[in-house]
Amino acid sequence: MRDDNKQGSDFPAPEAGVMPRHIGIIMDGNGRWAAARGLPRVEGHRRGVEALRRAIRIAGDYRIPFLTIYAFSTENWRRPAQEVTYLMGLLRRFIRNDLAELHGNGVRVRVIGSRENVPPDIIALIDEAEAMTRGNANMTLVVAFNYGSRQEIADAARRLVEMVARGEMRADEIDMDRLSGAMFAPDIPDPDLIIRTSGEQRLSNFLMWQAAYAEFVFLPQHWPDFDKAAFDQALAQFAARERRFGALPGVVTGGATNGLKVMTGS
Ligand code: IPE
Ligand code: IPE
Ligand code: MG
């Protein structure tokens, strides 16, 4: 990643008039990548971390301000204990090995998700990563770990109801902004583009509230094969989309857009 003092970017997006401000990635297909090579699933996960490093670097080169990666879902606990343990270990090693470099590149790290069942030493590492990188401004890397959108929304609803019960808010004050504000990372803008690798065309409980007007790109490659060409393909597809936000093309007016803004260039 370059330093931020440099003017402009050496990496114009392919056919880009518009670059996404926030990209979410559902890194899928590690197991299938490994199975296709006769390797154990965990080898796919190990190689998936290398693809993740690539993706972060490319996003940095393109000056994408926000990147959210889906690392572990609340449903992934249903996998065999051995695989779950391996995935926990990968996050542990990722933070230990990569935090200094991320920090050096001006990346702010945020982790969204539940802390329930997460080993205490990983929680400590997450806290350390967030505290160390809090002031960084080149890019925000949001790691969705032990994350589930339904749980996030249910927790947000419960917190608001508790505020009402304590008399801190009236029930009729609960609106979309309040609900948004009660999510894990209310300061992060909604994703513009969600990429999922490995051909599956579903959200799997990822950012369901935030992705209301996201564009979706589904790539056939398995996650360990994700590279710059794949990234560019996703950006090119995004640039070719017409985002309307419920309005008519090019004439999104104020008022009833629920805070959504049409992007007017990169
Ligand atoms: C994505 O790869 C990584 C995680 C879900 C943690 P998978 O492990 O889901 O790989 P496939 O989908 O079984 O191939
Ligand atoms: C989504 O992938 C979760 C992550 C990428 C972390 P899954 O592989 O768990 O999703 P499903 O089970 O195919 O829907
Ligand atoms: Mg999968």
Side-chain angles (χ1 to χ4, degrees):
M1 202 177 303
R2 280 109 229 282
D3 75 67
D4 215 30
N5 300 322
K6 224 173 132 189
Q7 289 296 306
S9 168
D10 297 335
F11 300 86
E15 304 164 33
V18 177
M19 284 288 262
R21 182 160 61 139
H22 181 180
I23 300 179
I25 305 185
I26 302 172
M27 311 182 290
D28 198 19
N30 292 348
R32 279 164 281 176
W33 181 93
R37 287 158 182 78
L39 298 168
R41 288 180 56 85
V42 294
E43 182 58 17
H45 294 316
R46 197 181 67 76
R47 292 291 292 266
V49 176
E50 290 173 21
L52 171 59
R53 292 193 179 102
R54 266 196 308 275
I56 295 170
R57 205 167 301 128
I58 299 164
D61 286 342
Y62 279 135
R63 290 177 168 40
I64 305 292
F66 300 94
L67 177 68
T68 298
I69 51 128
Y70 204 4
F72 190 87
S73 78
T74 46
E75 287 71 37
N76 287 147
W77 292 102
R78 295 174 181 161
R79 297 186 179 197
Q82 190 198 12
E83 181 168 339
V84 169
T85 303
Y86 188 86
L87 289 168
M88 294 287 150
L90 269 192
L91 182 78
R92 195 180 272 127
R93 284 206 296 282
F94 177 71
I95 296 178
R96 283 197 191 129
N97 296 337
D98 290 51
L99 181 60
E101 190 184 332
L102 290 169
H103 184 47
N105 285 329
V107 176
R108 178 172 66 139
V109 178
R110 297 280 295 274
V111 180
I112 57 171
S114 164
R115 294 183 163 209
E116 217 172 297
N117 301 319
V118 177
D121 74 296
I122 293 188
I123 290 178
L125 281 170
I126 288 171
D127 287 342
E128 183 195 331
E130 289 187 328
M132 179 193 269
T133 62
R134 182 162 291 146
N136 292 342
N138 284 355
M139 180 170 89
T140 298
L141 173 68
V142 183
V143 181
F145 181 76
N146 198 18
Y147 174 86
S149 202
R150 286 181 167 177
Q151 188 190 47
E152 177 179 40
I153 294 166
D155 287 354
R158 188 182 336 101
R159 270 203 298 282
L160 295 182
V161 168
E162 283 166 1
M163 286 177 73
V164 172
R166 287 196 301 266
E168 295 164 13
M169 188 172 60
R170 294 192 318 271
D172 65 7
E173 287 178 301
I174 296 180
D175 59 9
M176 289 182 283
D177 287 342
R178 292 280 192 163
L179 205 47
S180 286
M183 300 288 160
F184 285 123
D187 53 317
I188 308 280
D190 287 345
D192 304 295
L193 167 64
I194 291 188
I195 300 170
R196 183 169 186 148
T197 55
S198 221
E200 247 57 73
Q201 303 194 358
R202 54 178 174 258
L203 268 178
S204 301
N205 211 8
F206 184 56
L207 301 182
M208 293 194 298
W209 171 269
Q210 297 86 345
Y213 273 97
E215 297 293 330
F216 291 85
V217 170
F218 301 103
L219 298 173
Q221 295 94 332
H222 298 312
W223 177 249
D225 289 330
F226 187 82
D227 58 8
K228 183 159 184 300
F231 207 127
D232 285 352
Q233 201 191 323
L235 288 174
Q237 284 193 43
F238 176 80
R241 302 272 174 89
E242 180 186 65
R243 303 184 79 193
R244 291 183 163 198
F245 302 100
L248 297 182
V251 284
V252 175
T253 56
T257 56
N258 299 329
L260 291 163
K261 290 184 184 59
V262 158
M263 292 189 307
T264 52
S266 46

